[in-house]
Amino acid sequence: MSPARPPVSDARVSAPPVSPVPVTLTGSRPRNRQKPPRHLADLDLATRRAVVADLGEPSFRAVQLSRHFFGRYTEHPDDMTDLPRGSRAALAGALLPPLLTAERELSCDDGTTRKTLWRGFDGALVESVLMRYPDRVTMCVSSQAGCGMACPFCATGQAGLTRNLSTAEIVAQVVAGARALARGEVPAGPGRVSANDPSAPPRVSNVVFMGMGEPLANYANVVAAVRRLTEPLPEGMGISQRSVTVSTVGLVPAINRLAAEDLSVTLAVSLHAPDDELRDTLVPVNRRWPVAEVLAAAWDYAAVTGRRVSIEYALIRDINDQAWRADLLGSLLAGHLAHVNLIPLNPTPGSKWTASRPAAQREFVRRLESRGVPVTVRDTRGREIDGACGQLAARARP
Ligand code: SAH
């Protein structure tokens, strides 16, 4: 952090003051009392084979179990009829312990958006959101219970961090979505299906790490989850790496590490302001890694992976939606492998902020486009069920 930069309390924000929030950086240690039970999705296939062999079973049972979990989404050991009846309980007990229990499901958008509240082995609560579109299905998953990044406009940030999710707890959210689709529980909704075979059961095509938590603050488990999700059966679930997006507040060392992983996942950076003065207040971790450093890491990521970086920008009325900020953002991004995803601010409890006026949003888009920066405005799927960006707070009772 540059010592010349003003403390946050001096920031002149041309808007309602932001209450000072403690900077909780990546060092925020989850109070990890007990680890979630070991599950086959935590392990590579060779280790799964070794666990099975230790039980005195032939090691190919590891492949059978893996196909049940990643490919058939089988829930109950009794349904694993290709395993000897007498071995099912022991095998499932060792490699398929229950991890997340669905506590509540909420749907909207004619049932095509569905938010699930999950309870972990220790009572920790997380949420995931499935969004079915005519041509794809996106699962938005949580990487942590709560979040330590304390962004004041995000509901998850308000309650702080409870703990990291394990690799398997992350993967299990996607498998649960795939199971719901395979069982026909998620309607297709209106709109034409452009798939080659419209009668084929829908699959989870995209995964976004945009639920609760800061994925890069739970680095090892998130990267392992990406590998499990994208490795082909029986090692993993076989989703394309290019259809996975990891979103971050901008933890620069972790972005650099991710670039070196040899993964083709999309990086999304939650920028929300082009200037440090405002970003220090909206994304407190900016005081540690300011805009210039975050963008430099993003351009390195784009250069190494060849993937266009997605710049997330929640448009907040009279806070970050001024024309001059659009111009500044445009000048920072022009000529880079970047795409701006504008998110009309979703309401969160206790926040006085609201989405930008339509005219301000249109002008923001126009100014970015005039500099040749590609822009899209994200839909507000899931708003009515508090399932949209920044609304996941995982309360047991609504
Ligand atoms: N911690 C990661 C992953 C969360 S992604 C990150 O911040 O990138 C969730 C996205 O929704 C982030 O871009 C976040 O800044 C944004 N967001 C948070 N609160 C929001 C709100 N109230 N309205 C719109 N977007 C919001």
Side-chain angles (χ1 to χ4, degrees):
M1 178 164 29
S2 152
R5 303 190 45 232
V8 170
S9 53
D10 290 356
R12 278 154 294 147
V13 181
S14 56
V18 183
S19 57
V21 281
V23 185
T24 320
L25 298 181
T26 41
S28 55
R29 288 258 175 273
R31 284 157 280 139
N32 228 349
R33 296 138 298 223
Q34 216 190 324
K35 287 193 171 227
R38 179 195 65 185
H39 185 281
L40 68 77
D42 293 315
L43 311 172
D44 61 21
L45 189 55
T47 312
R48 291 172 219 161
R49 285 185 199 275
V51 171
V52 166
D54 279 350
L55 291 172
E57 293 282 340
S59 65
F60 66 82
R61 300 257 181 260
V63 172
Q64 292 175 299
L65 289 168
S66 300
R67 288 190 184 279
H68 276 294
F69 181 71
F70 289 116
R72 283 141 79 174
Y73 325 125
T74 316
E75 256 187 312
H76 301 293
D78 287 347
D79 297 331
M80 301 180 184
T81 50
D82 55 341
L83 301 176
R85 202 182 295 275
S87 310
R88 287 176 203 160
L91 286 167
L95 283 169
L96 295 167
L99 294 173
L100 300 175
T101 310
E103 185 92 355
R104 190 173 65 231
E105 305 264 11
L106 293 172
S107 304
C108 64
D109 305 317
D110 298 321
T112 60
T113 302
R114 164 175 155 131
K115 179 172 89 163
T116 308
L117 173 68
W118 300 103
R119 183 179 290 277
F121 77 104
D122 58 351
L125 296 172
V126 295
E127 292 179 318
S128 60
V129 184
L130 181 154
M131 290 159 279
R132 182 166 182 184
Y133 299 88
D135 58 342
R136 66 185 194 280
V137 179
T138 299
M139 275 300 303
C140 176
V141 297
S142 294
S143 55
Q144 300 180 308
C147 185
M149 297 298 122
C151 303
F153 56 96
C154 176
T156 311
Q158 301 317 297
L161 177 66
T162 303
R163 69 166 170 87
N164 283 335
L165 297 191
S166 68
T167 301
E169 285 176 316
I170 297 169
V171 172
Q173 297 168 57
V174 182
V175 168
R179 182 184 298 126
L181 283 166
R183 289 181 179 169
E185 292 172 15
V186 186
R192 270 192 309 143
V193 179
S194 59
N196 294 338
D197 178 4
S199 66
R203 305 177 63 244
V204 173
S205 54
N206 298 66
V207 176
V208 297
F209 284 79
M210 294 190 179
M212 299 172 72
E214 165 51 39
L216 297 188
N218 182 15
Y219 187 88
N221 290 339
V222 164
V223 168
V226 170
R227 294 198 191 284
R228 285 303 107 70
L229 293 171
T230 59
E231 284 156 348
L233 272 171
E235 187 88 42
M237 228 181 144
I239 295 169
S240 153
Q241 284 186 3
R242 291 164 167 266
S243 307
V244 174
T245 299
V246 174
S247 184
T248 178
V249 288
L251 307 185
V252 166
I255 294 173
N256 295 336
R257 237 178 119 187
L258 189 66
E261 295 283 353
D262 198 25
L263 292 170
S264 307
V265 300
T266 298
L267 179 73
V269 173
S270 295
L271 200 66
H272 306 312
D275 54 307
D276 287 321
E277 196 174 337
L278 178 57
R279 193 166 191 268
D280 278 352
T281 69
L282 294 181
V283 184
V285 79
N286 193 69
R287 288 176 257 176
R288 180 77 174 76
W289 292 290
V291 172
E293 289 182 30
V294 172
L295 290 181
W299 308 149
D300 283 347
Y301 186 88
V304 170
T305 61
R307 307 286 300 152
R308 188 177 292 275
V309 173
S310 181
I311 302 292
E312 311 297 291
Y313 200 105
L315 276 175
I316 315 176
R317 183 180 297 188
D318 298 334
I319 301 282
N320 66 353
D321 62 355
Q322 302 84 355
W324 71 266
R325 283 202 161 92
D327 290 339
L328 179 55
L329 181 63
S331 67
L332 292 176
L333 305 188
H336 290 284
L337 201 54
H339 166 271
V340 176
N341 204 204
L342 295 173
I343 317 171
L345 189 80
N346 292 306
T348 57
S351 169
K352 48 189 172 299
W353 291 335
T354 185
S356 299
R357 293 174 188 85
Q361 179 176 310
R362 278 196 301 275
E363 182 62 10
F364 210 91
V365 170
R366 193 189 67 75
R367 285 179 184 246
L368 288 171
E369 284 178 341
S370 74
R371 281 170 179 72
V373 177
V375 192
T376 48
V377 178
R378 184 176 294 172
D379 67 9
T380 51
R381 277 255 189 156
R383 252 197 199 179
E384 305 96 289
I385 53 172
D386 284 343
C389 306
Q391 294 187 311
L392 303 184
R395 284 174 301 269
R397 260 170 239 100

